[in-house]
Each structure stands twice: as structure tokens, then as C-alpha cells.
Amino acid sequence: MAGCGSGVCCCCCPRCCGERESRTPEELTILGETHEEEDEILPRKDYESLDYDRCINDPYLEVLESMDNKKAQRYEAVKWVMVFAIGVCTGLVGLFVDFFVRLFTQLKFRVVQSSVEECTEKGCLALSLLELLGFNLTFVFLASLLVLIQPVAAGSGIPEIKCYLNGVKVPGVVRLRTVVCKAMGVLFSVAGGLFVGKEGPMIHSGAVVGAGLPQFQSISLRKIQFNFPYFRSDRDKRDFVSAGAAAGVAAAFGAPIGGTLFSLEEGSSFWNQGLTWKVLFCSMAATFTLNFFRSGIQFGSWGSFQLPGLLNFGEFKCSESDKKCHLWTAVDLGFFILMGIVGGLLGATFNCLNKRLAKYRMRNVHPKPKLVRVLESLLVSLTTTVVVFVASMVLGECRQMSSTSQNGNDTLSLQEDVNSSIKTFFCPNETYNDMATLFFNPQESAILQLFHQDGTFSPVTLSLFFLLYFLLSCWTYGISVPSGLFVPSLLCGAAFGRLVANLLKSYIGLDHIYSGTFALIGAAAFLGGVVRMTISLTVILIESTNEITYGLPIMITLMVAKWTGDFFNKGIYDIHVNLRGVPLLEWETEVEMDKLRASDIMEPNLTYVYPHTRIQSLVSILRTTVHHAFPVVTENRGNEREFMKGNQLISNNIKFKKSSILTRAGEQRKRSQSMKSYPSSELRNMCDEHIATEEPPEKEDLLQQMLERRYTPYPNLYPDQSPSEEWTMEERFRPLTFHGLILRSQLVTLLVRGVCYSESQSSASQPRLSHAEMSEDYPRYPDIHDLDLTLLNPRMIVDVTPYMNPSPFAVSPNTHVSQVFNLFRTMGLRHLPVVNAVGEIVGIITRHNLTHEFLQARLRQHYQTI
């Protein structure tokens, strides 16, 4: 609610201010036109926050009173059923994507490989290249068209889901149309040969399933309506989104525990024990649903559960003939630490390059017609296809197949037979083309080659492959197609790790080392350097390898990679969140922020309503403000004389400068001017005249007065004139006794349903709405500007007290920022009133007031004041 001018405009020079006024904070962040760093620009304020806190109003209390043990158990049982259904549906989405990716990929490679074998002798390889281009460009074009239908389906979706679980509503991120475009788009992207993965979009798809399935409604299917009154709140919806995101990870990697930890570490800000069980159960359901159907479809052995996830690393096992071989030893830990450092540096470089590309796209590509985005995707596809084809045919080396390679791998847990993906382009018998084996295969097959192929890869081939894959995957991530980053990062890192193993064997003579282990550690180091995940990624990799002994080296490598990368920049997902200007809250504030108090960061310019307010006043307030919550107050005129003294306004030992009060008075003046067509827009206490004329006893204890009024019901109010410009400062800024918070959506619902009473009647005659009626329009409440309220009498009065939240979380103006931050983030709040010792509201804190950029700006102001 706070104005951005309070934090940034004071820091820019006069020469730059005029130019910057025409740009939004997001544009300034994108273009890098900031004072020192783009992080100093405040995040955008047009992102709506979610409310995890319950509104304990009268309709909610009526539900609680009518709920006995049987109803509570039934409600909990329905929630468990929903969690199981989310897991099953997420597994089916993964099955759909995997089935068609395999179908299209096998068709493409079968046709092109047959053409290459024929054209090798006839000299028509250009024709083979055209065939490959035809397949890839067609698939990528279809993926781009789906993103044009639903733009939020682009990318991996993890930054958007992370924002949602952090408490920010990203428009369209959990719609049915999004998951359809995401699932279909990612299968075309992967089948089109782009260096993207399908695991990241699976997380987004699972989150959308979790958000939509328990609602039993969709804006895309308006005609299908179910009378299902459960789970109609942000709190329940966000819990289901957490379960869906975890189920997406579990389905992608066959890692239910890793999925649960991913939802906890990377996404959800608010957690409890009951949610942990539900998320784990949902992840298990997704894993075994996908495993059951994939095992039955591919092997015909229904119920055998041989394929736990979309990506399976297979079993790491030394050859029985090599008695000196060990998966890893204590000596190898030193090399793993060095690989973690290099992986962190490579990840930081990847993130830096991708950030610059994202800025360029947002400045030069996105403002142009949408066709330009499709052309960019086709350009990336064209370049990738040509590089893959030429590198496979020209840059590869013919390597000798090992005996174990020829006999095949007997490990049944491998996702595919490693030997079946070996390519022999232009190589004689008993040899294979190492570059074509890596490039001219699905990415999962290339990862298995690097993990389990006993035959060697040339160091030159691995270096070229790593360089080309690094650059092309960095260029690809961010174009207008659904794309994941896990598999490209794993493949790029596996090539790096295999290169390290080859160098150690060739030049240092460490023949006992297991190349597959170094490939796995390299994959973990690079992926950790890019995404900066630790706990969940460690468990995901352990579950994917089915080898618990890898726990220690993977954990050490990921920690070192994260520490190294954090020294230079943030993780890739955090970078894209910042580029969007989303007001994301970190886990905790910096220590120096405790120099600030709640009164330093709060928004003092309040727009409030009275317990009993005319319809014309409510309509005017809703149409002239963009706030999503309004304090419900009464004027405490008995404290006026204590409140106004000299050049400062003093209330209960909390001092406010007159300038801040003047800005609040200006807000009231603007409000009165915008309501001139409503002559009776504010309602005051009937006993106000008596209080104003009678001098309160000077020695009367103010606290005692409040205790006496503690259980007094809200007073009856009657109409009076709007705030007038002729009011004195004492009249304009009276102490406001805080009674609760009322949301914009609640006020709009009351107006739509005609909840009001006439001036000649008692407020008891006002119609009462149930909790189901109040939440019937969730999550898309009507817009006040789209409503036709001509049938409502503007002189009617609305009693908001039964529907407001009478006991929201609140803080004192003297509360330290770290305490405010922890309360706001831990409880998942949307609005935090600042109330002084005698119940007077002096400000309100929203998510925007707690972002890192806003706090930094206020801290600079604090130092300047000192």
C-alpha cells in the first residue's frame, strides 16, 4: 500500500528522475537502469497477495458451531481423498507426457537414422538434415503456439509456483488452460530436440492439478458446476498446491521423499505436521501411479513397478571382474569438493548469461508482436538442430566398444538398455561415434551413457559437447516454449564429471576410480550451481540412483556448489522471480534491519470504513482505491487533546512527525473530494456530539475507560457529512479505534447480495449470509467496476461487523522488523495492522513493506535521518 516514492525517488539524481518517472519498477529492473544495482528498485505492487490466515467472523463461527466430531472427521477424510486424487492425476499427466514424448522421439530418430545410414553411401546427408529440421521445427512451432494461447505456460513454471507458495498470486498460473498447454507444449518441446527437460513442467502441472481438482470448477469449463462447498479459501488451496508440486517432483524423478522436501525447501512458506503427511502421501500416490502404468505399458508386467519415475539414473555398480573398483573412496572427497567449486562457478556463469538474455528478451522481443516470439523459438530450434547434426557427423571420434558394452548390461533397473542407444555413424565395426551417441539420442539416454557406459569418451568430445550444450541450453531457457532445466543441467554436469574422470585416469593414473560416480557428482555440482538447492536435491539424487552411499558426497558437493554460486549471484529461479518484480519474501531478514521498527515501514495513509456505513460510501471507497483490505474503525474523540500537542502528534508514547500526519490528512482530503457526489458518505457515533462538547476529566484514567468499554457492542451510528476541507487538524486526524479488518472481496459480496438495512430499521433486520454464500465466488470475486448497482438504494446502510475479522494478527509500532517479518511470513498474512497500546490503528503493513528492496530503502532513510 505504500507509495514507491518513499523508497526510491529520493535516491535518484534530479537529471534521471524525470526520465524514470515514465517507467515502471519492473521495466527499470529489466533494463538495469538503477542507481547502483537493479535490486534497489522496489518490486511491483500490482501482484495480489494470498491470505493464509483464517477470517474468524460470524459466518465462520457458525460453521464451527455446527461441526461435530463426525463432520470434522468427514471433512478430514475428504481432504485425504483429494490429496490421493491429486497424486493419481499428476502421475497420469506424467504418463501422458512421457508416452507421447517417446512416441514422437522414436519416430523422429528412426526416420532420420535410417536416412543417415542410406545417405552415408549415397552422399545425400543434406536430405537427412532437412528431415530432422522438418520434425524439430514442426514440433517447436506447435509448442510455441500453445504458449501463445496461455503465456504463463512458458518456461519451467517453478518460479511461478514458488511465488504462489510464498503467498503471491501470479495471474493464470493455476488455471486448467495452463496445465493443458503446459503438458502438450512440453512434449512438443522435448520431441522437437530443444535442450529442455520435462521434469520442471511436471512440477507446475502437479501444482495446477492440486489447485483445480479440489475446487470442482474451472473458468474454462463454466458450464460444468458442482455443488462442492469445501476448500474455498487460499489456505486450503495453497496446501493442495504444495501437495501437487511435490507430486510433480515425485513423478518426474521417482522420489516421493525428495518431492516432499522440495515443496518444503523451495516453495512452501507455511508448514505444519498434518500437511507433511498429506504431501508425502500425495507424492507416493503420484510415484506409484506412474510406475504402475509405465511398467505395464513398456514391459507388459502390470504391477511389477520397475520404472519409478520419468527420469531414472539406474543402478551404479562396479564390474565384477574389477576387484579394485569402488564407487567412491575417502580420497575422492577432495576431488568432489573441487568439482563442487567448479560447478558453482559454472552455474553462476550460466545464471549470469541467462539473466542477460532474459533482459534482452523482455526489452526487445516481448514488446513486439507475438509472432516474433515464435520466430525466436524457431531460430533456436534451427540452430540447435544444425549444431547437433553437424557435431554428430563431423566432430565425433570412433571409440572401441568394451566387452561389457557388447554383452549388454544385466542390471534390470536401468531405464533403457545402454547399448541400444549407441550410434555408429561413419565408424567401422566394433566402434561407435561418441559425439553422435551423446547428441543423437534423447537426453535421458545420453545421461545413462555418461553414467553407465564402460566405453570411454574422448576428452575432446566431452569438452566440445559440454561447451555446445552449455551455450545452447542457456540460450534455450527463457524462449516461449514450456521448458525444464533439470535434465539439461544434469546432462551438462554429467559430461563435466565424466571429463574429470577421464583426465584423472589418463594423466594422474587413478585407474581405480569409477567414472559413473564422477559423472553423477558432476551432474549434482552443475545442477546445484544453477538452482542452488541442497536438501531436496540431495534426496532426489539419492532416490534416483537408489544408492544411499552417495548421500555424503552428493551433499558435500551441493553445499560447496551453492556457497560458491551464492558468492556471485542468486539461483536461476530467484533471478527470474526478481526480473518479474514479484514481491517475494526471503526466509529471514538481515541483522541490520532490526534498526527499524514497525512504525518505520508501515503505511500510515489508511482508507478505512466504519462498522455501519452507507452503500454510497462503500461503493465510492471501492471504486477510488485499489486496496484489498480496510480497517474497521470508530473515531475516538476522547483522546484528541492528548493526541495533538505542539509540533508533534503524541499518542501513548508513540510520536509521529507532523509531515506524516499531513500526508494522511491529504489522503482524507482526496477521499472527500472523490465522494462529493455522495453527501453522506461517512457515518459517525451518535454520542460524538456529547463527547465533543463535554470536557473529559483530566485525571480520569484512560486505560480504565477502555476496560469499561471492553465488552461494549459496536455503537449505533448515524449519517453525517463527509470530511470537509474546512476541518481543523484536530478534526481531520482523530484517533481511530481499531475493531477489525474487512476484505474488498467481502465488501463486494455484501453489495452484490444486497446485504443492508434502511436508516429507519435496526441492524438486526439486515440479511445474514452463510460462510458458503460468502465464499461461493472464490477465487474470482466480481470486480466493483463491472457491477450494476443501480438497483441498490445508496442511502441504505451496511453493517460490516458480522463479516469482518475482529481478531487479526497485529503488532505494536515499536515492534522490531525481524519480529514483524517472522510473524508475517510464518503465519502467511496478507495484512498486518499496527495498533498502539490503547487500540488505535496507526498504520498497516503488507507484503510490499517487507520486501528486501523496500526495507533497504527505509534503512537508508533511517541512516539519513540519524
Side-chain angles (χ1 to χ4, degrees):
M1 298 168 88
C4 65
S6 60
V8 177
C9 296
C10 62
C11 299
C12 63
C13 60
R15 179 176 59 86
C16 301
C17 285
E19 181 181 353
R20 290 191 180 186
E21 286 177 355
S22 61
R23 297 188 184 274
T24 64
E26 184 185 31
E27 291 172 339
L28 291 173
T29 302
I30 294 168
L31 301 178
E33 298 176 4
T34 60
H35 180 62
E36 292 178 354
E37 297 180 356
E38 55 272 11
D39 292 337
E40 295 183 354
I41 295 298
L42 300 184
R44 289 167 53 188
K45 298 168 62 178
D46 55 353
Y47 281 103
E48 184 178 349
S49 298
L50 301 171
D51 199 347
Y52 202 69
D53 187 26
R54 289 191 177 97
C55 180
I56 314 294
N57 53 15
D58 287 358
Y60 182 80
L61 293 176
E62 292 174 1
V63 173
L64 290 182
E65 291 175 0
S66 63
M67 183 174 291
D68 53 14
N69 290 334
K70 290 185 178 180
K71 289 185 178 180
Q73 293 174 359
R74 189 184 310 136
Y75 179 83
E76 190 68 14
V78 171
K79 183 175 288 188
W80 279 98
V81 171
M82 287 293 103
V83 166
F84 177 76
I86 291 169
V88 172
C89 291
T90 302
L92 293 177
V93 171
L95 178 68
F96 169 81
V97 173
D98 179 71
F99 178 81
F100 283 99
V101 166
R102 287 179 176 274
L103 180 66
F104 294 152
T105 303
Q106 289 176 0
L107 173 64
K108 179 183 70 173
F109 282 123
R110 187 185 307 117
V111 172
V112 176
Q113 184 171 347
S114 176
S115 175
V116 169
E117 292 174 354
E118 293 180 3
C119 290
T120 300
E121 300 176 358
K122 299 179 181 180
C124 57
L125 288 177
L127 180 61
S128 302
L129 175 60
L130 290 178
E131 291 179 355
L132 184 60
L133 282 172
F135 277 109
N136 288 349
L137 292 178
T138 301
F139 290 146
V140 173
F141 178 72
L142 294 175
S144 298
L145 289 184
L146 290 169
V147 170
L148 291 185
I149 298 174
Q150 187 69 6
V152 77
S156 67
I158 295 179
E160 290 81 2
I161 296 303
K162 181 177 180 179
C163 295
Y164 189 93
L165 296 178
N166 191 264
V168 182
K169 182 183 294 185
V170 180
V173 71
V174 290
R175 290 184 58 182
L176 175 62
R177 183 189 300 176
T178 303
V179 71
V180 172
C181 294
K182 195 84 173 184
M184 297 185 64
V186 72
L187 69 89
F188 287 126
S189 299
V190 176
L194 292 177
F195 291 167
V196 299
K198 55 183 179 288
E199 285 69 24
M202 272 302 304
I203 299 172
H204 188 185
S205 300
V208 179
V209 172
L213 188 62
Q215 302 293 317
F216 280 94
Q217 67 175 8
S218 171
I219 193 173
S220 302
L221 303 174
R222 294 185 180 89
K223 295 183 179 179
I224 302 178
Q225 295 289 339
F226 295 93
N227 185 17
F228 192 73
Y230 298 105
F231 318 127
R232 315 291 291 174
S233 67
D234 286 343
R235 184 185 188 92
D236 291 325
K237 190 172 184 178
R238 199 181 316 179
D239 288 347
F240 287 126
V241 170
S242 301
V249 176
F253 297 98
I257 301 176
T260 304
L261 292 176
F262 173 86
S263 187
L264 172 62
E265 176 189 10
E266 194 69 14
S268 298
S269 306
F270 327 107
W271 206 261
N272 56 66
Q273 185 178 8
L275 182 60
T276 305
W277 269 113
K278 293 181 178 66
V279 169
L280 181 59
F281 179 66
C282 184
S283 301
M284 288 288 185
T287 300
F288 285 97
T289 298
L290 181 64
N291 197 343
F292 175 80
F293 284 101
R294 287 192 70 206
S295 300
I297 292 174
Q298 292 192 29
F299 299 122
S301 56
W302 295 91
S304 61
F305 299 104
Q306 299 181 34
L307 299 172
L310 298 179
L311 178 64
N312 186 24
F313 296 156
E315 182 180 355
F316 287 77
K317 185 178 180 181
C318 288
S319 174
E320 296 180 358
S321 59
D322 190 357
K323 301 299 182 180
K324 297 182 179 180
C325 175
H326 299 282
L327 292 182
W328 66 278
T329 62
V331 179
D332 297 334
L333 285 176
F335 296 112
F336 296 159
I337 293 175
L338 294 177
M339 292 175 65
I341 295 175
V342 177
L345 294 174
L346 293 173
T349 305
F350 183 96
N351 294 351
C352 180
L353 294 176
N354 189 262
K355 180 179 180 180
R356 293 181 179 274
L357 282 171
K359 287 183 178 181
Y360 178 83
R361 288 191 179 105
M362 299 176 80
R363 181 172 51 196
N364 298 297
V365 178
H366 294 179
K368 296 181 180 179
K370 294 182 178 180
L371 181 61
V372 177
R373 304 186 188 186
V374 178
L375 294 177
E376 185 199 15
S377 301
L378 294 177
L379 175 62
V380 174
S381 177
L382 175 66
T383 306
T384 303
T385 303
V386 172
V387 168
V388 166
F389 190 87
V390 173
S392 300
M393 303 303 164
V394 178
L395 301 180
E397 295 185 15
C398 295
R399 313 291 295 182
Q400 187 70 32
M401 291 184 182
S402 62
S403 58
T404 55
S405 245
Q406 291 174 328
N407 295 333
N409 196 322
D410 296 331
T411 304
L412 296 178
S413 61
L414 286 179
Q415 184 175 345
E416 293 181 350
D417 188 4
V418 175
N419 294 329
S420 64
S421 58
I422 289 179
K423 305 300 178 184
T424 60
F425 296 158
F426 306 105
C427 290
N429 294 334
E430 306 299 329
T431 60
Y432 66 95
N433 188 324
D434 56 355
M435 183 69 80
T437 300
L438 295 177
F439 262 136
F440 222 79
N441 266 316
Q443 296 175 98
E444 292 81 359
S445 299
I447 291 176
L448 290 177
Q449 287 287 339
L450 293 170
F451 283 172
H452 301 289
Q453 175 60 265
D454 290 331
T456 59
F457 292 89
S458 167
V460 176
T461 297
L462 290 173
S463 301
L464 290 175
F465 175 81
F466 173 81
L467 180 62
L468 294 174
Y469 213 95
F470 180 93
L471 296 176
L472 288 175
S473 60
C474 183
W475 185 20
T476 304
Y477 187 73
I479 63 175
S480 294
V481 295
S483 57
L485 196 59
F486 275 93
V487 170
S489 299
L490 287 171
L491 181 52
C492 202
F496 159 66
R498 192 68 184 251
L499 175 62
V500 172
N502 283 9
L503 294 178
L504 292 178
K505 285 184 176 181
S506 301
Y507 297 100
I508 301 183
L510 298 179
D511 296 329
H512 69 280
I513 64 174
Y514 183 60
S515 299
T517 298
F518 277 79
L520 175 64
I521 296 302
F526 187 79
L527 181 59
V530 172
V531 302
R532 311 290 164 79
M533 294 161 52
T534 52
I535 303 174
S536 58
L537 189 55
T538 300
V539 177
I540 288 172
L541 294 178
I542 291 175
E543 289 185 280
S544 298
T545 58
N546 198 25
E547 185 61 59
I548 190 62
T549 57
Y550 281 138
L552 180 62
I554 290 176
M555 183 174 62
I556 292 177
T557 303
L558 289 175
M559 289 173 58
V560 173
K562 175 178 170 55
W563 291 340
T564 305
D566 286 343
F567 185 79
F568 298 96
N569 51 33
K570 294 183 179 180
I572 187 68
Y573 301 135
D574 292 324
I575 287 175
H576 282 265
V577 167
N578 292 339
L579 288 177
R580 289 173 172 82
V582 180
L584 197 73
L585 297 185
E586 303 293 339
W587 282 104
E588 57 186 7
T589 60
E590 298 176 0
V591 177
E592 62 177 351
M593 293 303 172
D594 265 344
K595 298 175 182 178
L596 300 175
R597 306 294 179 95
S599 57
D600 297 320
I601 65 171
M602 70 181 185
E603 172 55 51
N605 302 325
L606 303 178
T607 301
Y608 51 85
V609 298
Y610 289 92
H612 299 249
T613 309
R614 289 195 191 279
I615 287 180
Q616 58 189 4
S617 178
L618 291 180
V619 172
S620 180
I621 291 173
L622 292 173
R623 286 181 174 174
T624 56
T625 64
V626 294
H627 307 317
H628 294 285
F630 305 93
V632 180
V633 301
T634 53
E635 293 176 358
N636 188 8
R637 296 189 176 185
N639 293 349
E640 286 180 14
R641 300 185 183 278
E642 288 294 323
F643 203 80
M644 296 287 299
K645 289 186 178 179
N647 292 327
Q648 288 186 332
L649 303 174
I650 306 173
S651 178
N652 303 291
N653 300 324
I654 304 299
K655 297 183 179 182
F656 300 94
K657 292 186 176 180
K658 212 164 190 177
S659 59
S660 65
I661 303 304
L662 289 173
T663 58
R664 180 167 171 179
E667 175 73 16
Q668 297 236 26
R669 186 181 300 109
K670 287 194 301 182
R671 179 177 168 184
S672 66
Q673 291 174 350
S674 65
M675 299 180 189
K676 286 184 177 179
S677 59
Y678 305 107
S680 302
S681 60
E682 298 297 337
L683 308 173
R684 298 208 195 109
N685 197 322
M686 290 182 61
C687 59
D688 281 352
E689 294 181 357
H690 302 285
I691 298 177
T693 55
E694 297 179 5
E695 182 76 18
E698 295 182 0
K699 296 182 179 181
E700 186 174 0
D701 187 2
L702 185 59
L703 182 59
Q704 184 63 30
Q705 291 182 21
M706 291 203 63
L707 292 176
E708 292 175 358
R709 298 197 306 268
R710 185 174 182 179
Y711 299 104
T712 304
Y714 297 106
N716 292 323
L717 303 171
Y718 76 101
D720 202 351
Q721 292 183 348
S722 301
S724 171
E725 294 187 7
E726 286 73 26
W727 278 8
T728 63
M729 175 63 72
E730 290 83 353
E731 292 174 324
R732 192 179 302 280
F733 190 80
R734 295 189 176 94
L736 304 174
T737 300
F738 178 67
H739 298 292
L741 279 178
I742 185 80
L743 298 179
R744 169 181 287 268
S745 59
Q746 294 172 326
L747 291 176
V748 172
T749 301
L750 296 179
L751 292 175
V752 169
R753 297 183 176 271
V755 179
C756 57
Y757 66 96
S758 64
E759 193 171 349
S760 60
Q761 296 176 327
S762 169
S763 61
S765 62
Q766 176 176 277
R768 300 295 296 269
L769 296 182
S770 65
H771 186 267
E773 292 173 324
M774 289 293 294
S775 59
E776 182 177 352
D777 294 324
Y778 177 86
R780 297 175 183 87
Y781 293 98
D783 190 346
I784 188 64
H785 299 284
D786 299 333
L787 298 180
D788 183 11
L789 302 176
T790 55
L791 298 179
L792 292 178
N793 184 354
R795 304 289 297 177
M796 299 289 282
I797 302 173
V798 179
D799 179 10
V800 302
T801 56
Y803 307 100
M804 70 180 185
N805 186 359
S807 55
F809 288 95
V811 293
S812 164
N814 280 327
T815 308
H816 290 277
V817 163
S818 61
Q819 296 173 298
V820 175
F821 187 91
N822 291 335
L823 175 63
F824 194 97
R825 194 185 195 283
T826 304
M827 303 310 301
L829 304 181
R830 186 176 182 181
H831 306 92
L832 184 60
V834 182
V835 182
N836 62 21
V838 294
E840 298 164 358
I841 185 168
V842 295
I844 199 165
I845 295 174
T846 62
R847 168 177 294 269
H848 177 77
N849 302 101
L850 292 172
T851 58
H852 176 75
E853 295 81 3
F854 185 90
L855 293 178
Q856 286 285 355
R858 287 304 170 94
L859 187 63
R860 288 195 297 269
Q861 288 185 352
H862 175 76
Y863 286 141
Q864 292 173 1
T865 303
I866 295 177

